[in-house]
Amino acid sequence: MDELAEAARLEPGDAKKAWQLLSAHIEGVDLPAWVKAYVRRSAVAVADYDLENGDQAKLAHDLGFYKEAEQQDGWSYDLDDVFEWFTDRMMKDVTDGKKISISRTAREYLDENRMFNNSPDGARKAYEKARKRHAERMASEAELERLLAERGV
């Protein structure tokens, strides 16, 4: 590897050349197999990358610099947004003469918000969590109003 580093120092190039050089010489280096596989995959991704018009976020993803977070039943949802969206949609359904269906509304929420990796069950659980939190807030506000009224405030 020291020879490669010295060669790179003496002959500056671009990222594509660097990845080609690494990929070409990685087999002779004492590194774990997963490192060698990563270098080979990365060299292909960089070689295929269009420097002028390429999507940098896609390249970063292809190189493994970031991954989308796994969606977990409601953890990735803004519960205030979920509650507002669900209640607005369900009120519209009632106005339109439809029966309220939380499952149908959950599917519509995912479709409309382009959350294709999430499951309707996760959206439904997020709504139920948001509804519970809203009820707790309302109860807390009512209790505060009662206490203030008792004190004459």
Side-chain angles (χ1 to χ4, degrees), residues 53-70:
N53 303 310
D55 180 352
Q56 292 179 1
K58 182 182 179 320
L59 178 62
H61 178 72
D62 291 347
L63 294 175
F65 292 133
Y66 74 87
K67 291 184 178 182
E68 290 78 15
E70 295 260 336

Side-chain angles (χ1 to χ4, degrees), residues 34-93:
W34 67 268
V35 173
K36 293 177 183 182
Y38 170 78
V39 170
R40 285 191 298 272
R41 278 192 319 273
S42 297
V44 170
V46 172
D48 292 342
Y49 183 69
D50 178 2
L51 289 171
E52 296 295 319
N53 303 310
D55 180 352
Q56 292 179 1
K58 182 182 179 320
L59 178 62
H61 178 72
D62 291 347
L63 294 175
F65 292 133
Y66 74 87
K67 291 184 178 182
E68 290 78 15
E70 295 260 336
Q71 305 293 337
Q72 295 180 346
D73 296 338
W75 291 108
S76 63
Y77 299 96
D78 176 339
L79 295 180
D80 291 330
D81 177 63
V82 168
F83 182 78
E84 183 179 339
W85 194 97
F86 269 69
T87 53
D88 287 349
R89 178 56 57 97
M90 288 188 285
M91 289 304 294
K92 181 183 179 305
D93 287 349

Side-chain angles (χ1 to χ4, degrees), residues 8 24 53 94 96:
N53 303 310
V94 169
D96 292 346

Side-chain angles (χ1 to χ4, degrees), residues 1 10 15-17 24 28 32 46 55 57 65 98 102 104 122 141:
M1 279 304 244
L10 295 174
K16 286 188 179 206
K17 285 183 184 177
V46 172
D55 180 352
F65 292 133
K98 294 181 186 175
I102 295 174
R104 180 188 69 233
E141 288 177 19

